[in-house]
Amino acid sequence: MNRPTLFDYQKDRDQSGPKKMLADFRSIIQTDGFAVYDSLFGNHPDIHLTLCMAHARRKFKDDVKDDEVKANYVLEEIQKLYLLEAKMREESIDWQQRTVLIKEHAKPVLENLGKWLEEKHYSYRPKSPMGQAIA
């Protein structure tokens, strides 16, 4: 099942664009983590916010200078997900098979990474590079 995808560009980064465009929207919104989406739709019963892995990855890639070992751990875990996606794309796997493979291979990686991030969250100052990457 292919879901329709929409990329929308707005000149300003205030709430007016997303608020108007997504007023009647009910589904999944993938964002770059910009706080406007969370403030508008974070508690919405019919909208599920997801973040872009590339944006999350970039924070840790930039953080290698601050804490190389821990940043590289996160990057290696994310790389496992990228490799799985590449394999599924390469093999033209349909959505049913993708669902099975994601549950089998990606879900454990994401769950372990989520636990690791929760554990490490308070080990860093909030304004530090690693603190910001984890947040």
Side-chain angles (χ1 to χ4, degrees), residues 69-87:
V69 173
K70 290 185 176 89
N72 279 329
Y73 169 76
V74 174
L75 294 171
E76 289 166 10
E77 293 302 295
I78 292 172
Q79 187 61 27
K80 291 176 186 177
L81 301 171
Y82 281 18
L83 290 172
L84 176 62
E85 284 291 329
K87 177 185 176 190

Side-chain angles (χ1 to χ4, degrees), residues 8-27:
D8 181 62
Y9 171 78
Q10 298 289 324
K11 256 184 167 176
D12 299 317
R13 287 191 49 96
D14 65 5
Q15 291 186 0
S16 62
K19 189 174 187 175
K20 181 180 176 187
M21 186 183 80
L22 299 168
D24 298 320
F25 185 78
R26 307 289 181 261
S27 191

Side-chain angles (χ1 to χ4, degrees), residues 1-7 25-30 46-48 50 95 98-99 102:
M1 172 170 97
N2 289 329
R3 295 184 188 268
T5 303
L6 169 71
F7 294 96
F25 185 78
R26 307 289 181 261
S27 191
I28 299 168
I29 300 175
Q30 183 181 27
D46 299 317
I47 292 178
H48 180 76
T50 63
W95 71 269
R98 287 176 74 89
T99 301
I102 287 169

Side-chain angles (χ1 to χ4, degrees), residues 11-125:
K11 256 184 167 176
D12 299 317
R13 287 191 49 96
D14 65 5
Q15 291 186 0
S16 62
K19 189 174 187 175
K20 181 180 176 187
M21 186 183 80
L22 299 168
D24 298 320
F25 185 78
R26 307 289 181 261
S27 191
I28 299 168
I29 300 175
Q30 183 181 27
T31 76
D32 61 359
F34 185 44
V36 163
Y37 294 100
D38 193 47
S39 67
L40 286 173
F41 307 112
N43 295 316
H44 197 288
D46 299 317
I47 292 178
H48 180 76
L49 293 177
T50 63
L51 299 176
C52 171
M53 188 62 75
H55 281 85
R57 181 185 176 280
R58 186 179 311 142
K59 296 279 189 190
F60 288 98
K61 191 169 184 344
D62 293 345
D63 188 44
V64 168
K65 296 172 263 182
D66 188 49
D67 191 333
E68 184 176 355
V69 173
K70 290 185 176 89
N72 279 329
Y73 169 76
V74 174
L75 294 171
E76 289 166 10
E77 293 302 295
I78 292 172
Q79 187 61 27
K80 291 176 186 177
L81 301 171
Y82 281 18
L83 290 172
L84 176 62
E85 284 291 329
K87 177 185 176 190
M88 292 187 296
R89 211 174 18 259
E90 221 173 71
E91 297 176 8
S92 299
I93 293 175
D94 66 27
W95 71 269
Q96 291 103 334
Q97 292 171 302
R98 287 176 74 89
T99 301
V100 170
L101 289 172
I102 287 169
K103 284 181 181 175
E104 185 178 331
H105 299 287
K107 186 177 178 186
V109 171
L110 289 167
E111 287 174 346
N112 288 333
L113 189 54
K115 287 177 190 170
W116 186 90
L117 291 168
E118 284 179 23
E119 290 170 7
K120 303 298 181 208
H121 183 23
Y122 294 106
S123 301
Y124 296 91
R125 291 175 290 110

